[in-house]
Amino acid sequence: MTRLLQRGERLVVATHNMGKLREIDVLVAPHGMSVASAGDLGLPEPEETGVTFEENAVLKAVAAATVSGLPALADDSGLAVDALGGAPGVYSARWAGPEKDFAAAMRSVEEKLQALGATAVEQRRAYFVAVLALAFPDGSVDLFRGEVHGHLVYPPRGPNGFGYDPMFVPEGHDETFGEMTAERKRTLSHRARAFAKFAAARLPT
Ligand code: ITT
């Protein structure tokens, strides 16, 4: 049964991505939960067989809640590029290959945009999506979605963040997520927007 989480209750953050974990830890901290990561608990990384962010978020959260016996929060996210029909989308992590080479993944995105002659900002529109799934050990699941829209620049700019952050400029700003501080990214990001919905629905204030 979905329910409010209690202050001090243990919550598993079901991710093996350190960039995401850092961001989610900071978002959870003010709510007084005790957080364990999938890595801390030695949980296996489930295969992401879904074709939507929602399906993958659910399968990661349910796997972690079932194995740990604790409520689990999973994030499935990615970058959707309008001119590429929404790619890389749910395959955003896979475009970086097993070495998780995001310089190469960003180069692939840019090569595809160049092949289409997409040089103007309007042709380079993209958005990040994050779907958070909260699963309880009884199998019940809640979903929360957040998006941030903007455009892509190349070459990548800035040392902050992770993944595709250095090529993404959110609407109304000049800096990429890679150039922004973590605090500034948190006021705008897809993950923070999804988290705000989750917090309002399920976390103690
Ligand atoms: P887990 O499944 O263990 O959480 P993962 O990295 O495999 O980790 P996803 O399958 O959700 O996660 O892949 C999402 C990819 O999209 C991620 O690896 C990043 O490259 C990219 N991405 C998601 N959120 C991002 C953000 O805030 N900034 C930059 N890139 C992001």
Side-chain angles (χ1 to χ4, degrees):
M1 203 182 61
T2 53
R3 59 172 172 77
L4 279 180
L5 294 166
Q6 305 299 312
R7 194 158 271 277
E9 186 170 350
R10 208 142 178 249
L11 175 71
V12 181
V13 177
T15 179
H16 291 82
N17 177 321
M18 287 304 127
K20 279 186 191 178
L21 185 62
R22 264 196 307 276
E23 292 188 5
I24 295 171
D25 273 350
V26 173
L27 291 165
V28 176
H31 298 276
M33 311 295 303
S34 149
V35 172
S37 76
D40 295 337
L41 299 177
L43 303 181
E45 206 170 338
E47 209 192 325
E48 296 185 27
T49 52
V51 295
T52 63
F53 294 111
E54 282 76 7
E55 282 178 79
N56 283 333
V58 168
L59 71 85
K60 289 187 276 193
V62 169
T66 307
V67 175
S68 67
L70 298 168
L73 184 69
D75 165 309
D76 201 66
S77 46
L79 178 72
V81 184
D82 291 2
L84 305 183
V90 289
Y91 304 109
S92 294
R94 269 173 248 179
W95 278 33
E99 315 78 29
K100 303 192 195 299
D101 182 350
F102 283 96
M106 289 188 279
R107 196 162 53 242
S108 298
V109 169
E110 181 62 19
E111 283 167 2
K112 288 181 168 46
L113 286 173
Q114 290 298 330
L116 296 171
T119 50
V121 166
E122 273 316 303
Q123 299 167 299
R124 301 176 62 87
R125 302 207 64 77
Y127 58 100
F128 276 120
V129 179
V131 173
L132 294 175
L134 173 69
F136 291 90
D138 69 1
S140 57
V141 190
D142 262 354
L143 289 169
F144 307 93
R145 185 183 177 104
E147 295 183 2
V148 56
H149 291 244
H151 73 275
L152 301 179
V153 293
Y154 202 86
R157 301 192 323 233
N160 300 330
F162 67 97
Y164 298 87
D165 278 342
M167 77 181 308
F168 182 80
V169 178
E171 234 159 49
H173 296 262
D174 298 319
E175 288 182 322
T176 66
F177 271 172
E179 293 173 304
M180 287 181 186
T181 60
E183 290 73 26
R184 172 59 68 94
K185 180 182 173 188
R186 197 158 59 242
T187 63
L188 302 166
S189 82
H190 48 311
R191 183 161 297 103
R193 287 175 178 167
F195 189 88
K197 294 181 188 172
F198 157 63
R202 295 283 162 236
L203 287 180
T205 46

